[in-house]
Amino acid sequence: MVQVTGLRKKFGHRIVLCDVNFEFSTGEVVGLVGPNGAGKTTIMKELLGLLVADAGNVQILGQPVSVTTHTVVTQQVGALIERPAIYPFLSGWQHLQLMTNSVEQMMWVVQALQMTGYIHQPAKRYSLGMKQKLGIAMALVGRPQLVILDEPMNGLDPQSVKRLRELIGQLAGEGTTFLISSHILSELEKVIDTVILVDQGQVRLQRTMAQLQESARQSLVIQTTENARALQILLQADYPVIQRGTDLIVTASVALTPLLRRLFAADVQISKVDQQREDLETVLLRLLAEGKA
């Protein structure tokens, strides 16, 4: 679906993208993540042919994309970049009419995003979340093969975020490909198949969520009535354990039963035992710090 090779971009003397390479296939939901200023939005604009690259090339569906050749290819692409382009005196319905002539498709996206109650009101009356939904609707209404969404969850309430996740999953199952940039990694990891991590204008990592989940570390969280004594008992038994607030954290996968028996044998009363797995943000930060990304 998308292939990016050797992409470079400078603004003045500032290097924004440096030899960016990645590719992904039809039907994938790809998360583009990284710190502010990493180059994520620039990559998305390059994919849409909105910026002139200094070097490298972009292909969508096997066709080159550039400022001069993007029109035909990007008819198969829907996008929301940075913020929705909204005309305040047009209604939401009129905005959708700018994107398609199909009333059926317009009705579909309005119902899918639960916009029926206000779609015919002027956009100047819309809240931040309503404008965000309209921007997403404009990206989806033409049922494009590729959808590029830049921070789509901004301004959405929890119910709307959940509905958007479900809709992305549904459309991906039907063959739509998504590239989504978001700082809300806890939500992003619920929907994406692949992560592309960008930092300082370079792709540091591209892995599937399954691969990242395999590399996620598990820890054991224990609370006792005598944490200081329990800590010493476990340290003396060579368990990798630290104290954090009222919790004792065993920082590696260990057999639970022998550990609990050791504490019980010392008459330590246990009030809580819980297993935790690193989330996406923690895994990515650790891989960066370890130089594995």
Side-chain angles (χ1 to χ4, degrees):
M1 172 61 73
V2 172
Q3 185 175 44
V4 175
T5 308
L7 201 61
R8 297 186 184 183
K9 181 64 182 176
K10 286 172 45 175
F11 292 120
H13 296 292
R14 186 167 68 94
I15 298 174
V16 180
L17 301 179
C18 181
D19 290 323
V20 169
N21 300 277
F22 62 84
E23 61 183 42
F24 51 87
S25 302
T26 300
E28 281 193 76
V29 182
V30 180
L32 186 65
V33 304
N36 289 333
K40 303 186 297 298
T41 299
T42 302
I43 288 173
M44 290 180 158
K45 289 181 177 179
E46 293 282 5
L47 287 175
L48 293 168
L50 299 178
L51 293 174
V52 178
D54 297 323
N57 61 76
V58 174
Q59 289 190 345
I60 295 177
L61 295 167
Q63 300 297 314
V65 176
S66 68
V67 170
T68 56
T69 65
H70 72 280
T71 306
V72 174
V73 178
T74 52
Q75 287 176 354
Q76 303 298 323
V77 181
L80 170 61
I81 304 293
E82 295 184 318
R83 63 183 63 87
I86 290 177
Y87 300 97
F89 294 101
L90 295 184
S91 69
W93 187 259
Q94 289 170 319
H95 280 85
L96 296 179
Q97 288 177 316
L98 298 175
M99 311 304 294
T100 182
N101 294 321
S102 171
V103 174
E104 182 181 355
Q105 289 178 191
M106 292 163 63
M107 289 297 298
W108 162 78
V109 79
V110 167
Q111 292 171 2
L113 290 171
Q114 299 175 333
M115 303 169 65
T116 308
Y118 56 86
I119 193 63
H120 293 289
Q121 295 179 14
K124 65 179 181 178
R125 299 182 187 173
Y126 285 15
S127 67
L128 175 62
M130 292 159 69
K131 290 177 181 177
Q132 189 72 359
K133 278 190 181 183
L134 178 56
I136 295 167
M138 292 167 68
L140 296 178
V141 68
R143 297 300 291 262
Q145 295 185 49
L146 172 65
V147 179
I148 299 174
L149 300 175
D150 189 9
E151 300 291 346
M153 299 166 190
N154 276 357
L156 297 186
D157 58 62
Q159 182 180 6
S160 296
V161 169
K162 182 175 183 294
R163 180 66 191 120
L164 178 60
R165 284 202 319 266
E166 293 170 347
L167 184 57
I168 290 170
Q170 173 194 328
L171 294 175
E174 296 171 1
T176 304
T177 308
F178 286 85
L179 179 65
I180 305 172
S181 170
S182 179
H183 286 98
I184 311 175
L185 298 189
S186 59
E187 290 296 338
L188 195 62
E189 68 180 317
K190 295 174 184 176
V191 72
I192 59 176
D193 305 306
T194 301
V195 174
I196 298 174
L197 174 62
V198 181
D199 188 32
Q200 297 180 349
Q202 294 181 306
V203 173
R204 303 291 184 180
L205 170 151
Q206 180 173 353
R207 296 189 191 174
T208 66
M209 281 300 297
Q211 290 171 327
L212 290 173
Q213 286 167 354
E214 286 178 5
S215 64
R217 293 175 177 173
Q218 288 190 338
S219 59
L220 191 63
V221 180
I222 302 170
Q223 285 184 1
T224 76
T225 55
E226 300 176 81
N227 275 353
R229 192 158 71 90
L231 178 64
Q232 291 305 311
I233 292 168
L234 295 177
L235 288 173
Q236 288 170 5
D238 293 326
Y239 281 102
V241 58
I242 60 173
Q243 184 166 355
R244 186 180 299 152
T246 60
D247 293 332
L248 299 179
I249 313 292
V250 181
T251 58
S253 295
V254 299
L256 179 59
T257 302
L259 182 149
L260 295 179
R261 282 177 181 163
R262 192 173 292 272
L263 294 177
F264 287 144
D267 291 326
V268 173
Q269 298 298 310
I270 299 170
S271 55
K272 172 187 171 183
V273 178
D274 190 20
Q275 284 190 318
Q276 294 182 350
R277 179 185 289 268
E278 288 179 327
D279 59 15
L280 176 61
E281 181 177 15
T282 304
V283 172
L284 292 177
L285 289 173
R286 176 170 57 77
L287 292 176
L288 274 176
E290 293 173 353
K292 296 179 181 178

